[in-house]
Amino acid sequence: SLQGPNQVVITEPTAKKYFGNSDALGKIIQAEINGQQVDLQVSGVVKAYPQTSHFQFDFLASMSTLVPLFGGPDAPIFQSPSFSSVYTYFRSQEPDAVEAQLKSIYASKVSEENKDFLKGMFLQPLLDIHLYSNLIAEIQPNGNGTFVYIFIGIAILILLIACINFINLATALAANRSKEVGMRKVLGAIKAQLVPQYLGESVIVTFISLVLAIGLAVLMRGVLAQTTDIAISFSGMADPVMWILILGILLLVGLAAGSYPALYLSRFQPLQVMRSNIGQKSSGAILRKSLVVIQFVISTSLLIGIGILFKQLNYIENMDMGFHKDNRLVIPLQIPEADKKIRSAEVLKKEFSRLPNVIQATATSSIPGNPRGIARVTVEGQPFDKVHNPVVVGVDYNYVEAMELKLLTGRTLDQQYGTDSTESLLLNEAAVRELELPNDPLGVKLTFLPFPGANPDAEPDVAKVVGIYKDMHFEPVYRDIHPMILRIQPNQYNNLIVNIRPTDTDATLASLETVWDQYVSGNPFGFTFLDEDLAELYSAEQQLKNILTFFTLLAIFIACIGMFGLCAFTTAQRRKEISIRRVIGASSGSIVGLISKDFLVLILIAFPFAAGLAWWGSSNWLQTFAYQTQVGMGVYIGAVLVSVFIAFLTISLLSYRAAVANPIDALYRE
């Protein structure tokens, strides 16, 4: 369906949009490509790509359509290493052999100049692209495989907390079933018969929990999708492998949670069941306390992790980016004709600046967060074969002022200097370092080498350094600041950046659109806010923050449920002691403190283990950022205080009820 030129495959929703219910096959769609009107014949209709695909499309045109529109296969655009928007897919039973052939092609066909850019060729499994690729010029933003494993790990930890609750409460209440165990053994039951019974009870409880969990997941799907910005699909439930996995988890959790209580109950001896302290031996108490410590190691470490994540995101949001991002509108110049784009940019800048709520308007080839334009540069005084690859951003004369960059030395690009439009440039601090320039780089000349395939007779492009500006984070803070050159390049303008006043934004947008429609008719007006564009770069971290917050609250809630149950058991067992203390004059507060102390001590014991676990996990995560916040002890201390506070609230209610109860009632029963 895509063998010849001017052929296009469309999706079913696209076919319905343009052709209604009629057959789209063979119909003609007019498109504008590189400023030229092209007729494309529909040669195929496919189902809409699912959301789980690593890229989406509405139209899929044949590559042979594109080549003549840009001047043929030998045109400079196809010879340039910066032409990176081509994706090649292979179907092969022997990928290793294909990859070996690719290496052979690379060695024989790629020129030495191009090897500066094209470092190698390799195959990548299709299913690895979304979570593990993160290469330059991806079709769509990738996910993060590390986050998936983090979520799976947290889910397992939450299940572990729930299992601990089951074990703790089952062993704590073992005395209630001691007579049952004794009677069964008197009647001839052996341990091998009792263990399966108690394990079966645990599996049944887990099965009921699983059914309720699936129903709860379905009910909460919308809330989770809204909170985490992740569309949750249950289509995978039709896969038999998924059900095998679910049943495996069911058996694993049921057996893990029930194994110790089953063994603990089945070992009771008939003559022991009349003892009042059965099921409350020191070994059982030590186990319960140890499990409580594990619970709070998990929940407190998650709490510390949230604190560090919030701090890093806040650091990114408020760090000195080297430019001002607030109240900046980005207006794409979606104008195919190069000459019209240049003229329109000049007119729009001038007309926008006349609006009362517009402070300044400037033009640029790319915006922060979306760098383009790698150059091949040699430096005056260095060997000619020593080639550097800085990023080049085409800017306007007032770009430095509009973005409020900090000039360190020299001057800005100025229209009063007639040669600045072609022979002057600005460098950032990273460029001074990476290009190995002298301490006073002003006046040093840089030569821009042509790309392979360009006109060999073209004059070399030489420009001198007239100013150095402070490094700005033009790329995400995952990466170090790249050496960057700012030059006047009107033919590269792709965006206008408009600095507006924060008052009456709607009216300002309406005025900007009116001006746009007046001078750029036939091209749609669109805009984004620069601060929102930059925030989108860290959407994966925002998702992690939302999901981790939800999971942490869930983990703390489950841990508190278990603590509540153990506290109820403890107060019931110590009812006589509490009553006697009350009779001899103990206050309610001292009783609450007495009962709470044991649990709070366990949380404090858990803290160093939780801090170590959180430090290890957060350190690995922070290493993915080139620029990291200073964590400090405040996050750790805050987390343990929150854990202590939540635990105290959980157990204080029961403790207080036991402390204020009439001691006569308890002593009478005793």
Side-chain angles (χ1 to χ4, degrees), residues 386-437:
K386 189 172 186 177
V387 179
H388 304 276
N389 302 123
V391 170
V392 178
V393 179
V395 299
D396 201 359
Y397 289 102
N398 65 338
Y399 182 83
V400 172
E401 293 81 7
M403 297 298 289
E404 300 185 49
L405 306 186
K406 184 178 181 181
L407 193 69
L408 299 177
T409 184
R411 62 176 178 83
T412 62
L413 300 170
D414 195 331
Q415 204 163 7
Q416 293 182 356
Y417 294 86
T419 58
D420 272 11
S421 61
T422 55
E423 300 178 10
S424 299
L425 54 83
L426 302 177
L427 297 178
N428 66 349
E429 297 171 283
V432 176
R433 294 190 300 270
E434 296 293 329
L435 272 59
E436 302 175 16
L437 300 181

Side-chain angles (χ1 to χ4, degrees), residues 446-521:
L446 306 182
T447 301
F448 291 79
L449 303 178
F451 289 110
N455 183 2
D457 300 324
E459 290 291 325
D461 185 9
V462 181
K464 65 180 180 180
V465 180
V466 299
I468 308 296
Y469 64 93
K470 182 179 174 61
D471 281 338
M472 63 173 173
H473 292 276
F474 207 82
E475 298 186 68
V477 296
Y478 303 114
R479 307 170 189 159
D480 289 320
I481 294 176
H482 202 279
M484 183 177 292
I485 295 173
L486 302 183
R487 295 191 69 182
I488 304 297
Q489 292 181 318
N491 62 327
Q492 298 294 324
Y493 292 162
N494 294 309
N495 303 279
L496 294 178
I497 298 180
V498 184
N499 184 8
I500 64 172
R501 292 183 174 85
T503 57
D504 204 0
T505 304
D506 291 340
T508 304
L509 293 173
S511 300
L512 290 170
E513 185 171 8
T514 300
V515 172
W516 175 279
D517 292 338
Q518 182 178 352
Y519 291 98
V520 193
S521 58

Side-chain angles (χ1 to χ4, degrees), residues 115 117 199 217 261 310 382-383 394 397 402 458 468 471 505 511 625:
K115 286 178 181 178
F117 294 86
L199 284 177
F310 269 71
Q382 295 181 5
Y397 289 102
I468 308 296
D471 281 338
T505 304
S511 300
F625 294 87

Side-chain angles (χ1 to χ4, degrees), residues 10 170-171 229 429 435 493 558:
I10 62 177
T171 54
D229 196 28
E429 297 171 283
L435 272 59
Y493 292 162
I558 295 173

Side-chain angles (χ1 to χ4, degrees), residues 199-409:
L199 284 177
E201 291 176 5
S202 175
V203 171
I204 290 171
V205 170
T206 307
F207 176 77
I208 296 171
S209 301
L210 172 65
V211 174
L212 294 174
I214 293 174
L216 188 61
V218 173
L219 290 175
M220 293 191 65
R221 177 171 57 174
V223 176
L224 288 171
Q226 197 171 29
T227 305
T228 62
D229 196 28
I230 296 176
I232 299 173
S233 171
F234 285 88
S235 58
M237 298 294 282
D239 188 349
V241 176
M242 180 63 71
W243 282 105
I244 293 173
L245 179 64
I246 290 173
L247 292 175
I249 293 173
L250 166 67
L251 292 175
L252 180 64
V253 172
L255 296 177
S259 57
Y260 183 81
L263 294 172
Y264 187 70
L265 288 168
S266 62
R267 74 184 184 189
F268 289 168
Q269 298 302 318
L271 294 178
Q272 291 179 322
V273 298
M274 301 307 295
R275 294 180 183 178
S276 59
N277 65 340
I278 190 71
Q280 302 167 47
K281 295 179 181 179
S282 59
S283 59
I286 292 172
L287 174 69
R288 289 195 292 274
K289 290 178 179 180
S290 301
L291 293 176
V292 169
V293 169
I294 293 173
Q295 283 188 319
F296 277 91
V297 166
I298 296 170
S299 55
T300 305
S301 63
L302 289 175
L303 204 55
I304 295 171
I306 282 183
I308 294 173
L309 189 147
F310 269 71
K311 195 167 185 181
Q312 175 66 13
L313 292 180
N314 187 63
Y315 172 75
I316 293 171
E317 187 175 341
N318 297 298
M319 71 185 296
D320 181 10
M321 302 293 289
F323 62 91
H324 281 248
K325 59 184 178 179
D326 297 328
N327 303 315
R328 263 74 177 178
L329 286 175
V330 177
I331 301 177
L333 289 170
Q334 297 176 338
I335 304 172
E337 302 88 345
D339 292 341
K340 182 181 177 182
K341 182 190 291 187
I342 295 172
R343 292 193 305 271
S344 298
E346 292 300 324
V347 172
L348 290 170
K349 284 189 303 176
K350 186 183 299 181
E351 296 300 322
F352 285 165
S353 299
R354 291 176 179 172
L355 298 175
N357 275 353
V358 173
I359 300 172
Q360 205 166 19
T362 190
T364 179
S365 60
S366 56
I367 62 173
N370 185 25
R372 307 185 199 176
I374 300 292
R376 304 177 68 237
V377 172
T378 60
V379 179
E380 180 183 30
Q382 295 181 5
F384 186 74
D385 59 353
K386 189 172 186 177
V387 179
H388 304 276
N389 302 123
V391 170
V392 178
V393 179
V395 299
D396 201 359
Y397 289 102
N398 65 338
Y399 182 83
V400 172
E401 293 81 7
M403 297 298 289
E404 300 185 49
L405 306 186
K406 184 178 181 181
L407 193 69
L408 299 177
T409 184

